Amino acid sequence: MRILLVEDEPELASALKTALRRYDMVVDHAASLLEAGDFAASENYDAILLDRQLPDGDGLTLVPKIRARGNATPVLVLTARSDTSDKVDGLDMGADDYLAKPFAFEELLARLRALLRRPANVQTQVIRAGDLAFDLGHREVLVRGEPLTLPRRELLVLEALLRRTGRMVQRSSLMEAVFGLDDEIQSNALDTHVSRLRRKLAEADAKVEINGVRGVGYLLREIS
């Protein structure tokens, strides 16, 4: 799951990024309207968390701009403005939900889950391949019913490959699924995560294997 966080307060942005990443979300952070517009135009997101009071204008003005381009990404507005009229303005301009600051992270997460459950974002809850089952809702991997514990990055790699089982996934697509735009990434980081995941799947005898084509990408396939 890839989230665009638009927030200019460094401490709040850092706290939200850390918290969301604990739930296996890839988070890109924009601190201004200009940055947010560039990110929204160049990347595909599952949801946008949008602050209104940004240094270069009202964050809410981003919503009609992306909607005009046919971008239906759910937008949750985060703001200190809690008047009913402000909420109505936000919803009328195309936002999907509104959360007043200060807020509990648990409520933010619940609202985010609710947005992602809406029809345009409904996903199959369990992906299966070989003896492997990935429960998307609980972020849990099972091999023949037994939990297989994986760190966050490996979990994201596995999810991206499982969604295209038997088909090549380009390196660029995997990088986009696993790393945020502001992550510091070593040149071999993806290969390291794939190598560790491949070993763990083999040790668990999950009846799947990961094959790679150098410089192109990876595919996951079922084996007997």
Side-chain angles (χ1 to χ4, degrees):
M1 188 182 304
R2 194 178 192 93
I3 304 294
L4 174 58
L5 171 63
V6 187
E7 172 60 62
D8 68 319
E9 296 180 25
E11 291 185 5
L12 178 57
S14 178
L16 287 175
K17 285 192 294 183
T18 299
L20 291 168
R21 285 167 177 167
R22 290 198 188 106
Y23 287 85
D24 303 320
M25 300 181 192
V26 175
V27 183
D28 292 336
H29 173 226
S32 68
L33 264 176
L34 181 61
E35 283 185 312
D38 289 343
F39 284 172
S42 61
E43 303 290 335
N44 293 318
Y45 293 101
D46 296 290
I48 298 173
L49 302 180
L50 179 64
D51 182 31
R52 285 197 63 171
Q53 294 175 294
L54 297 170
D56 51 349
D58 186 344
L60 201 55
T61 60
L62 175 70
V63 182
K65 291 178 181 177
I66 66 172
R67 297 290 187 246
R69 295 196 296 264
N71 187 332
T73 303
V75 176
L76 173 55
V77 177
L78 310 175
T79 180
R81 303 180 185 181
S82 58
D83 291 344
T84 300
S85 60
D86 290 320
K87 296 179 181 179
V88 171
D89 287 344
L91 297 173
D92 283 347
M93 290 181 72
D96 296 271
D97 200 358
Y98 206 104
L99 184 58
K101 299 177 182 179
F103 52 81
F105 178 73
E106 291 77 10
E107 182 179 2
L108 169 64
L109 197 61
R111 288 175 180 267
L112 195 53
R113 286 196 298 263
L115 287 179
L116 295 171
R117 283 197 300 268
R118 292 184 179 179
N121 296 282
V122 170
Q123 301 172 331
T124 302
Q125 288 301 299
V126 179
I127 309 176
R128 303 179 187 276
D131 287 344
L132 187 74
F134 191 148
D135 185 328
L136 296 172
H138 294 93
R139 309 301 299 168
E140 183 178 36
V141 178
L142 303 173
V143 178
R144 292 180 296 278
E146 294 296 319
L148 176 63
T149 301
L150 298 173
R152 186 175 72 90
R153 301 283 194 197
E154 292 171 31
L155 201 64
L156 292 169
V157 170
L158 179 60
E159 179 179 357
L161 293 174
L162 276 172
R163 288 184 181 278
R164 296 177 61 84
T165 297
R167 293 177 289 174
M168 179 67 64
V169 181
Q170 300 291 321
R171 285 186 66 89
S172 59
S173 297
L174 279 172
M175 294 288 287
E176 188 173 297
V178 176
F179 301 105
L181 294 175
D182 55 352
D183 286 339
E184 294 183 5
I185 308 167
Q186 295 182 347
S187 59
N188 65 339
L190 177 62
D191 303 302
T192 299
H193 292 307
V194 171
S195 177
R196 291 171 180 167
L197 175 61
R198 180 188 281 138
R199 175 174 52 80
K200 291 172 185 176
L201 293 175
E203 290 174 350
D205 191 24
K207 304 300 182 186
V208 296
E209 68 177 12
I210 300 173
N211 301 129
V213 176
R214 184 180 295 275
V216 177
Y218 292 93
L219 68 84
L220 180 143
R221 69 182 186 93
E222 297 179 309
I223 58 176
S224 57

